[in-house]
Amino acid sequence: EEQKEDNNSTECSELGIMDLKFTSSRKHISISVPSKSQTMSPHIKSVDDVVVLGMNLSKFNKPTQFFICVSGVFMFYLIYGYLQELIFSVEGFKPFGWYLTLVQFGFYSIFGLIELQLIQDKRRRIPGKTYMIIAFLTVGTMGLSNTSLGYLNYPTQVIFKCCKLIPVMIGGVFIQGKRYNIADVSAALCMSLGLIWFTLADSTVAPNFNLT
């Protein structure tokens, strides 16, 4: 019996020591969640940083940032559209839409390589296969758009481009299961009709449609 009591006391003391160790070890367990800035890429300093053409717009308030970005989009798209129409107005250039696409993406690649050399973080975060799919779709989009100018005049191409938001929304409903309210649909229709109206505002400009 004395031996049993000794064994029991030994087991109790061992359990007590284990419990003490477990209790003391629990005091040192800590779970740290990295902040949003730590999980971001090293070359992205803050979520609020808005960098456009190498210029940091974070010192401006939100409405000013929005106005600068919207103005930039309009300005560069107008220049791009004007130059594209000017190129295809050159006699004999219409069959060379894919060549123009080659030149465009050649410059895109050069600018991409320059940016890659300037940024600090060069780790790949997206699989190469995804890049290839996006590249194929982007080249196809711009190549077919440029080639279409061999069959259509520029105003007709712009009209089709203005309407592309509508099939995109339809695809979002059937493919991605998105749901749009009346305000979204009305905004898309008003934007498309407004751009078409703006394109055809000049009475001397008439759309030229080719079945091909």
Side-chain angles (χ1 to χ4, degrees):
E1 289 178 2
E2 290 178 357
Q3 188 175 1
K4 288 181 181 179
E5 289 178 1
D6 291 338
N7 292 336
N8 290 335
S9 61
T10 303
E11 290 176 0
C12 289
S13 61
E14 288 177 353
L15 288 172
I17 293 171
M18 289 175 62
D19 184 63
L20 180 61
K21 287 181 178 178
F22 179 73
T23 305
S24 61
S25 65
R26 283 191 301 176
K27 293 179 181 179
H28 298 286
I29 295 176
S30 62
I31 300 174
S32 60
V33 179
S35 62
K36 186 177 289 187
S37 60
Q38 291 176 335
T39 57
M40 293 169 58
S41 301
H43 65 279
I44 301 177
K45 296 181 177 60
S46 172
V47 180
D48 297 327
D49 282 353
V50 179
V51 181
V52 178
L53 297 177
M55 297 179 293
N56 196 334
L57 304 181
S58 303
K59 59 183 177 181
F60 301 106
N61 55 29
K62 295 293 183 182
T64 305
Q65 292 178 12
F66 176 77
F67 177 77
I68 293 173
C69 292
V70 169
S71 302
V73 169
F74 272 95
M75 182 183 70
F76 284 108
Y77 261 112
L78 285 172
I79 296 173
Y80 173 80
Y82 172 76
L83 292 177
Q84 190 180 39
E85 185 176 11
L86 188 65
I87 289 173
F88 280 95
S89 65
V90 176
E91 187 177 354
F93 192 84
K94 285 191 174 183
F96 298 100
W98 283 106
Y99 173 73
L100 177 63
T101 307
L102 173 65
V103 174
Q104 284 181 279
F105 278 88
F107 278 102
Y108 294 163
S109 301
I110 293 172
F111 294 146
L113 289 172
I114 293 173
E115 183 185 12
L116 191 63
Q117 296 302 318
L118 293 177
I119 62 175
Q120 301 295 324
D121 186 18
K122 299 180 181 179
R123 291 176 298 173
R124 174 175 291 180
R125 293 176 176 77
I126 300 175
K129 182 180 178 181
T130 305
Y131 277 118
M132 294 299 294
I133 294 173
I134 294 174
F136 173 77
L137 294 174
T138 307
V139 171
T141 298
M142 296 193 67
L144 293 172
S145 177
N146 290 335
T147 305
S148 69
L149 289 173
Y151 302 93
L152 310 171
N153 61 358
Y154 192 77
T156 312
Q157 187 211 42
V158 172
I159 289 174
F160 275 96
K161 278 189 173 182
C162 295
C163 295
K164 69 181 181 182
L165 180 60
I166 297 174
V168 167
M169 293 182 70
I170 295 174
V173 172
F174 289 101
I175 298 174
Q176 295 179 305
K178 291 184 177 181
R179 292 292 179 267
Y180 299 100
N181 54 33
I182 298 297
D184 296 329
V185 176
S186 302
L189 291 176
C190 287
M191 189 182 76
S192 300
L193 293 175
L195 289 170
I196 293 171
W197 191 15
F198 179 79
T199 304
L200 299 179
D202 188 355
S203 59
T204 62
V205 175
N208 178 24
F209 183 76
N210 182 295
L211 185 60
T212 305

